[in-house]
Amino acid sequence: MVSLGLTLVMLVFVVRLLQVQAVDASAYTAKAEKNRFTSVTLAAERGEITDRAGVALATSVDAHDITADPKMFTPEDSNVADAPEQAAALLAPILDKEAETLARQLSAPKSRFTVLAHRQTPQVWNQISDLKTVLAEKAEKARSAKGAKAPASVLAGVFQEPSSKRVYPNGDLAAGILGYVNAAGHGGGGVESMLDGKLSGQDGEITYAHSGGRRVPTADSEETPAVPGTDIELTIDRDIQWAAQRAIADQVQKSQADRGYVIVQNTRTGEVLAMANAPGFDPNDLSQTDGARMGNAALQDAFEPGSTSKVMSMAAVLEEKAAIPGTHVTVPNRLHRGDRLFKDDIDHPTWYLTLNGVLAKSSNIGTILATGQLGRTQPEANRVLHSYLRKFGIGSPSGLGYPGETQGILADPKDWSTSQQYTIPFGQGLSVNAMQAASVYSTIANGGVRIEPTLVRGTQGPDGLFTPAAAPKKTRVVSEKTAKTLATMLESVVFDEAGTGTKARIPGYRVAGKTGTANRVDPVTGRYKGYTASFAGFAPADDPQITVYCAIQNPTEGSYFGGQICGPIYKEVMEFALKSLQVPPTGRKSDPLPVEFTPGE
Amino acid sequence: MRGPAGQLRGRAARLARLMPTTGASTAARTPFVLLVVLLLGGGLITLLLLNSSLNAGSFKLSELKKQTTDLTDEQQALQRDVDNLSAPDALQHRARQLGMVPGGSPAFLNPDGKVSGVPSEADALPYAGPSALEAFPPVAPSLPASLAPSVSPSASPTDAAVSPSSSEGLTSADPSTTPSAPPVPSALSSSADALSTAPLPGPTSGTPTTPTTSGR
């Protein structure tokens, strides 16, 4: 009987052993490993964004989230009646926060976790940690003297979690281009979002056996190293960007304008050297910023360019050989076309202008008359003009691939309304963004070949290898001869006393430019209200290197004429860029074209 | 000496008799046992040493990791300071405090002494209050040197925008007087471009030439 019982017991044991060792073995192994092994994510370092000289515009640094366990501040746990208040008083100056706010967070009932401050520097955590050590020593002494009822350290419940912080060392410099990073550490706008995939890299993971929180060195471990993000080098020149940003911010404030943009472009490579917006924002502190400022208005605003777009009409007229710069144009004070009576920006007696003079004095009527020669019928002329506008890049994306970029509005010529077909030649009834407008002038400066603008110069992978960005697309828009003629005509705008752009003169240099003062469509009401002042041009006119475009939306204080408020900005930024890039004047004398003619000659 | 089996009785003796009892094997046993003991003991000690050295290494690893973190933190903090000092805004501010003002239109001093562009006196007003230039008027040429360590090289184009303004004796580079100045090594003139306060070594220290010139 006994042996039978023993056999049965043994049998039960054997069966159980088999079950544990053979049948469910894998499940138990997995459970054991779960307890023994721990996995830690190795955060990939986000790539830097630098300017063209390699100066960091956006970089990532280590940071700490300061957290706390409110339960450890209760009187039961800490043996201190007002632990949250005491801790808050200690932490408030270090974290630069209100003591009341912190105390409220620390005394949250039934909570075990609260974040006191996000993304603090290691120095801040070091201060807190030193303070913690001192208080803990004191509490230890009290405990050995008085026993378990002694008050505990009031900072015992304060902890940190490693995190990383995106830093923009130059504050609001180029903030519109760079964008910002959201709470999850991903790009929330601008280049940060455009190239987020490259910048963020690949998180790694390490799995190792641990005992009491410490890694067991003899046990095997598995590690997938993190791949750091790629560094992005922009075409931006930090110093020119700064000069542009300061100039436009000053003027926007002075004119009480809604906003303004300045774009500086290298005419030979299409590289954008500066793209400034005003008002801007500081990506280091988004809490102080309202959402309307946070985009890159230079690419995201579509506006009617006004007279700066007359240069495209002139390009079409010259390229189609409908006229030459010396062609006589008699400009009356009013011109009846379609359903409207057109006028120039000022009332004038009948002007006797050359085609060159039409551009220099920015005559709307003269431009309508000149573009009328593009075809035998008005629809034909419209089609020809439209084809040139398209070739100059109007109505299509600029090629930057920037998030939220507008491509502007350019209707098909068959959809042009009766008045639109006469307003489009002088830049009303179509809309562009500032980059497209700047690109038009770069095209003329570059001998008639349009180079797609670029914002990214190249990338530098974790292996340290620099990969230049793909070469931009080039398309010929007008012949070199037409481009040269246009450059000379644009010089008249600035250098002729009758021109509208005299404020943009730079002593010693030959400067080409064009003013623009457009009626602005109010984005809220959709009706014409206020003005868009602009100035576009390049220098040196006979050997162009740099294009500068400036536009100010809705200036309400002082002058609203492009030549008056944007001309000086053009001059300031252009002078700075010429100095920065060390572009000397060519020293050749200009050969001015006549602006007016004497009737009857 | 008889075999050990001889001293045993009963079952033990019978068992002992089964074992080989040659003299030779008795003689060889002691070194063998010693060897085994030595091997076991040695292995144990080696394992112990290995384990403790691994553990020591692990401690050292975490110590070095902490050191790396500390140094990284310090490097990042220092980089932050450098960035704050070399940001264009900060540079402009300090340059203005030194009494510099933004230059006018660019002018270039060529190696042959010719000036291209139209040089002009900077017309912007310096900051009010005591300027650094007033504090050290005679050492103007050494200003770039004293500034150099705190200014990152990439930041130099910013400084190209500022040109000197001192209360007395500053004349603009006049093309007609330039040839009389001593020959300018291009290295000097390009550094003068970087910080255009540096007056060229002229015949009299009271008439420095060259605001915004560069060595082209």
Side-chain angles (χ1 to χ4, degrees):
Chain A
M1 265 320 276
V2 175
S3 49
L4 188 70
L6 277 175
T7 314
L8 274 174
V9 168
M10 283 307 284
L11 209 67
V12 168
F13 281 6
V14 166
V15 168
R16 178 65 183 155
L17 193 70
L18 265 176
Q19 192 197 355
V20 168
Q21 288 289 352
V23 182
D24 293 344
S26 56
Y28 284 111
T29 321
K31 268 190 190 169
E33 278 188 356
K34 201 174 153 197
N35 278 331
R36 195 148 39 100
F37 286 92
T38 177
S39 286
V40 178
T41 308
L42 302 170
E45 200 184 325
R46 195 173 170 85
E48 279 192 349
I49 303 178
T50 70
D51 81 339
R52 60 185 299 119
V55 182
L57 298 175
T59 182
S60 287
V61 295
D62 294 339
H64 301 271
D65 286 345
I66 311 294
T67 63
D69 177 359
K71 185 172 177 287
M72 295 175 74
F73 291 87
T74 53
E76 299 85 61
D77 277 39
S78 66
N79 296 328
V80 181
D82 58 344
E85 284 73 23
Q86 281 191 29
L90 287 169
L91 292 175
I94 303 176
L95 297 177
D96 198 18
K97 297 215 168 194
E98 300 250 334
E100 288 94 74
T101 325
L102 291 176
R104 207 174 321 121
Q105 277 184 291
L106 291 174
S107 48
K110 286 189 188 153
S111 164
R112 301 275 343 231
F113 181 80
T114 176
V115 178
L116 298 179
H118 283 287
R119 300 196 174 88
Q120 298 297 309
T121 62
Q123 283 72 30
V124 167
W125 171 244
N126 284 349
Q127 277 187 39
I128 296 175
S129 138
D130 289 349
L131 210 60
K132 266 184 79 158
T133 322
V134 173
L135 289 176
E137 274 169 14
K138 235 189 238 168
E140 194 55 44
K141 264 187 210 149
R143 187 180 294 269
S144 53
K146 283 199 235 161
K149 277 283 154 209
S153 158
V154 288
L155 288 184
V158 179
F159 306 98
Q160 61 93 20
E161 278 182 19
S163 128
S164 135
K165 184 185 183 188
R166 196 68 167 160
V167 178
Y168 301 87
N170 297 301
D172 64 353
L173 190 82
I177 305 168
L178 297 172
Y180 50 92
V181 167
N182 61 21
H186 286 285
V191 171
E192 295 271 25
S193 132
M194 177 169 114
L195 298 169
D196 189 53
K198 280 188 174 162
L199 282 166
S200 49
Q202 197 90 48
D203 280 353
E205 195 182 41
I206 185 166
T207 308
Y208 56 84
H210 70 107
S211 160
R214 189 178 284 279
R215 186 174 165 180
V216 178
T218 45
D220 59 340
S221 62
E222 206 176 288
E223 183 175 354
T224 320
V227 183
T230 307
D231 291 347
I232 307 289
E233 188 172 313
L234 299 180
T235 58
I236 298 298
D237 181 307
R238 181 178 72 157
D239 298 318
I240 300 179
Q241 173 76 27
W242 172 79
Q245 207 160 312
R246 199 181 55 145
I248 190 71
D250 282 356
Q251 188 61 53
V252 163
Q253 206 193 4
K254 229 184 279 171
S255 295
Q256 297 285 312
D258 285 7
R259 51 176 48 160
Y261 346 94
V262 170
I263 288 183
V264 183
Q265 197 183 8
N266 183 326
T267 59
R268 298 182 175 180
T269 60
E271 290 176 330
V272 178
L273 298 173
M275 187 184 284
N277 291 300
F281 66 98
D282 184 354
N284 288 315
D285 188 8
L286 294 179
S287 59
Q288 305 292 319
T289 307
D290 72 276
R293 288 178 165 206
M294 271 162 64
N296 186 359
L299 291 171
Q300 292 162 345
D301 273 9
F303 55 92
E304 304 203 1
S307 306
T308 49
S309 109
K310 279 178 189 153
V311 73
M312 291 186 282
S313 308
M314 292 298 162
V317 168
L318 293 173
E319 185 76 3
E320 292 294 315
K321 302 203 166 45
I324 56 165
T327 303
H328 293 180
V329 185
T330 306
V331 181
N333 188 31
R334 290 283 188 278
L335 182 72
H336 192 264
R337 279 287 186 278
D339 52 356
R340 280 174 61 179
L341 210 53
F342 290 96
K343 60 182 177 105
D344 288 324
D345 61 343
I346 45 169
D347 278 320
H348 58 80
T350 302
W351 276 343
Y352 300 96
L353 301 175
T354 60
L355 189 68
N356 179 47
V358 168
L359 192 66
K361 296 185 82 125
S362 197
S363 163
N364 297 340
I365 295 169
T367 313
I368 296 171
L369 292 170
T371 49
Q373 305 298 310
L374 282 172
R376 266 164 302 163
T377 59
Q378 190 61 38
E380 196 187 327
N382 293 349
R383 265 200 306 282
V384 174
L385 182 64
H386 178 264
S387 74
Y388 277 94
L389 295 176
R390 291 289 299 185
K391 278 200 270 184
F392 272 111
I394 308 302
S396 47
S398 68
L400 293 174
Y402 194 88
E405 182 191 345
T406 175
Q407 57 178 53
I409 303 165
L410 177 63
D412 272 342
K414 60 173 176 3
D415 300 332
W416 288 3
S417 70
T418 317
S419 60
Q420 219 176 359
Q421 58 188 346
Y422 302 110
T423 59
I424 284 179
F426 60 85
Q428 303 272 182
L430 76 167
S431 58
V432 300
N433 66 32
M435 187 69 245
Q436 289 172 324
S439 181
V440 168
Y441 283 79
S442 295
T443 304
I444 294 159
N446 192 40
V449 176
R450 177 172 191 270
I451 305 176
E452 260 188 6
T454 48
L455 199 54
V456 176
R457 206 155 167 256
T459 55
Q460 190 172 11
D463 49 3
L465 233 64
F466 181 78
T467 320
K473 216 167 74 186
K474 296 181 181 185
T475 42
R476 179 160 286 285
V477 179
V478 291
S479 70
E480 190 151 2
K481 181 165 169 281
T482 305
K484 277 247 166 355
T485 313
L486 277 169
T488 319
M489 287 168 72
L490 288 170
E491 262 188 274
S492 302
V493 177
V494 179
F495 274 92
D496 198 284
E497 281 309 324
T500 51
T502 50
K503 289 231 171 193
R505 285 180 197 171
I506 300 173
Y509 282 84
R510 290 174 61 179
V511 175
K514 179 77 193 76
T515 60
T517 309
N519 289 309
R520 174 173 186 263
V521 177
D522 191 306
V524 181
T525 60
R527 291 169 169 280
Y528 281 114
K529 182 171 182 289
Y531 297 91
T532 300
S534 58
F535 193 97
F538 48 86
D542 49 341
D543 182 24
Q545 308 250 11
I546 305 160
T547 298
V548 173
Y549 179 83
C550 157
I552 292 177
Q553 299 287 6
N554 198 21
T556 54
E557 187 76 36
S559 170
Y560 59 83
F561 287 108
Q564 298 299 312
I565 58 174
C566 276
I569 293 181
Y570 169 88
K571 176 177 189 262
E572 189 181 337
V573 175
M574 183 62 92
E575 277 182 348
F576 191 94
L578 289 170
K579 275 186 275 195
S580 275
L581 303 176
Q582 307 202 344
V583 180
T586 52
R588 286 189 285 270
K589 282 269 162 286
S590 63
D591 189 13
L593 295 165
V595 169
E596 287 167 325
F597 70 96
T598 325
E601 227 175 69
Chain B
M1 169 181 168
R2 295 162 58 199
Q7 292 162 338
L8 300 164
R9 283 170 222 289
R11 190 186 258 178
R14 261 182 286 141
L15 277 171
R17 268 199 295 279
L18 289 174
M19 313 280 278
T21 53
T22 54
S25 71
T26 323
R29 196 178 294 165
T30 321
F32 177 71
V33 168
L34 270 177
L35 181 73
V36 169
V37 166
L38 216 72
L39 275 177
L40 278 175
L44 208 68
I45 289 171
T46 315
L47 210 63
L48 201 72
L49 285 177
L50 204 70
N51 247 329
S52 53
S53 93
L54 262 173
N55 271 318
S58 141
F59 279 111
K60 186 138 194 222
L61 183 71
S62 44
E63 201 177 289
L64 288 176
K65 265 190 184 157
K66 191 177 169 344
Q67 205 181 341
T68 312
T69 315
D70 286 350
L71 289 175
T72 310
D73 289 351
E74 196 183 338
Q75 186 256 335
Q76 285 176 348
L78 291 173
Q79 184 64 48
R80 197 171 55 230
D81 293 349
V82 170
D83 287 339
N84 284 342
L85 288 171
S86 65
D89 252 341
L91 278 180
Q92 190 243 10
H93 193 71
R94 286 215 312 286
R96 294 300 295 261
Q97 277 181 338
L98 288 171
M100 303 183 200
V101 294
S105 56
F108 290 78
L109 178 59
N110 298 318
D112 59 1
K114 279 194 186 134
V115 172
S116 47
V118 180
S120 59
E121 198 166 344
D123 50 1
L125 290 172
Y127 275 5
S131 77
L133 267 188
E134 280 161 26
F136 324 95
V139 292
S142 70
L143 265 177
S146 66
L147 263 179
S150 65
V151 177
S152 81
S154 66
S156 54
T158 306
D159 296 313
V162 294
S163 72
S165 115
S166 93
S167 44
E168 40 85 36
L170 185 76
T171 58
S172 60
D174 181 356
S176 64
T177 65
T178 317
S180 71
V184 185
S186 60
L188 173 62
S189 64
S190 67
S191 77
D193 171 60
L195 260 174
S196 47
T197 57
L200 296 180
T204 57
S205 63
T207 57
T209 39
T210 144
T212 52
T213 49
S214 115
R216 279 232 178 156

